[in-house]
Amino acid sequence: MAIHPSRTFILRKLHQLSGIVPLGVFLLEHFYTNSKAMLGSEAFNQAVTDIQNIPYILLIEIFGIFIPLIYHAVYGLVITWEMRPNNLHYPYARNWFYLIQRITGIILFFFITFHVLNFRFGLIPGLNDLAVATHPDQAFYIVSREFQMPVIFVIYIIGITATVWHLANGLWLFLVDWGIIIGPSAQRAIGYACLAVGAVLLFVGLNAAVAFIRPGGLLGGIIY
Ligand code: HEM
């Protein structure tokens, strides 16, 4: 007798996969481009220009980023809505991680909406009427001018930290749920590895943000 996976099972697996590919992979590319800010405004503007010159960039953005992101975000909110938080009953780290994965998801929903409207489309009234994507020659200036505002900078620090946590813990969830890492000791070891990946990503993400307001980033350009 053939076994047919349920619709929920397939939607759930697609949700998990979309968090890694393409969203997680896109985040790595995004942090890489942002890190060009450590080399100064010209290098960053050139990196944005190069991206805008990629053939079929609009189609890549729509099908490779926006559609998977909307799917992952909306289905993620449905999962969060249906959740049964049991971390208050069992004091295990994994129960807290379950809750934090959902809280960071909600933060990301608001943060990414703001971020995309702000820098991709220049649509936040009173804050930014220039879109970075359509003004690559002024990209560094647009970001740097906004990051001088403490409220905006703090929003980005929170957004970057929530994103990195969500991806690092999500990577562990994915590896375990897809049966790639089996057995308690292997899962514990991979847990530490994901934590290390998260720590490196957090440094890279925050360092890139700081580079827009301090030449060279956190370490003043000692490490490029
Ligand atoms: C935009 C708002 C977002 C919301 C509301 C959201 C929500 C969620 C939720 C609730 C889960 C847990 C699913 C479960 O336990 O079964 C999850 C998992 C995950 N998310 Fe997100 N997420 C968002 C954005 C992102 C982004 C931008 C990335 C990538 C950088 C990402 C990567 C992941 C990964 C890798 C997982 C783990 C997949 C798994 O459970 O196996 N998410 N997300």
Side-chain angles (χ1 to χ4, degrees):
M1 191 182 79
I3 299 173
H4 297 287
S6 74
R7 204 167 60 116
T8 311
F9 178 85
I10 294 171
L11 290 176
R12 196 75 184 232
K13 289 289 164 202
L14 276 178
H15 180 257
Q16 296 171 337
L17 186 63
S18 63
I20 304 290
V21 184
L23 298 180
V25 172
F26 167 71
L27 186 78
L28 298 185
E29 184 284 316
H30 200 33
F31 277 9
Y32 169 78
T33 306
N34 293 348
S35 299
K36 294 269 180 173
M38 288 195 300
L39 300 170
S41 61
E42 266 181 42
F44 180 69
N45 292 352
Q46 189 57 50
V48 177
T49 307
D50 290 345
I51 289 176
Q52 292 311 318
N53 287 337
I54 292 174
Y56 308 112
I57 183 67
L58 188 63
L59 292 179
I60 294 172
E61 267 189 321
I62 293 172
F63 292 101
I65 305 171
F66 288 143
I67 292 177
L69 180 60
I70 291 168
Y71 172 70
H72 185 93
V74 171
Y75 198 65
L77 290 180
V78 171
I79 292 172
T80 303
W81 180 253
E82 291 170 345
M83 79 171 175
R84 300 273 171 275
N86 55 354
N87 61 294
L88 297 178
H89 302 298
Y90 306 98
Y92 299 121
R94 273 290 138 209
N95 293 72
W96 284 105
F97 290 1
Y98 171 93
L99 186 63
I100 298 171
Q101 190 70 2
R102 280 143 183 81
I103 293 171
T104 50
I106 294 168
I107 294 173
L108 280 181
F109 183 81
F110 291 107
F111 172 68
I112 294 174
T113 304
F114 167 76
H115 175 58
V116 171
L117 289 178
N118 187 24
F119 285 145
R120 175 63 184 80
F121 296 108
L123 283 177
I124 304 289
L127 192 60
N128 198 354
D129 47 11
L130 288 181
V132 172
T134 48
H135 297 81
D137 52 322
Q138 298 177 60
F140 188 94
Y141 164 73
I142 296 169
V143 178
S144 160
R145 188 185 53 177
E146 268 198 32
F147 279 13
Q148 314 278 341
M149 300 176 212
V151 178
I152 300 295
F153 195 69
V154 168
I155 288 176
Y156 272 87
I157 297 298
I158 295 171
I160 291 166
T161 308
T163 308
V164 169
W165 176 280
H166 193 88
L167 180 60
N169 187 48
L171 181 61
W172 187 87
L173 288 172
F174 173 80
L175 292 172
V176 170
D177 209 87
W178 279 55
I180 297 167
I181 305 297
I182 304 163
S185 57
Q187 291 177 354
R188 196 171 316 113
I190 291 297
Y192 288 117
C194 289
L195 216 70
V197 168
V200 172
L201 268 184
L202 185 62
F203 174 80
V204 172
L206 294 180
N207 197 28
V210 171
F212 286 95
I213 52 173
R214 181 176 196 266
L218 282 165
L219 302 176
I222 297 172
I223 301 177
Y224 279 134

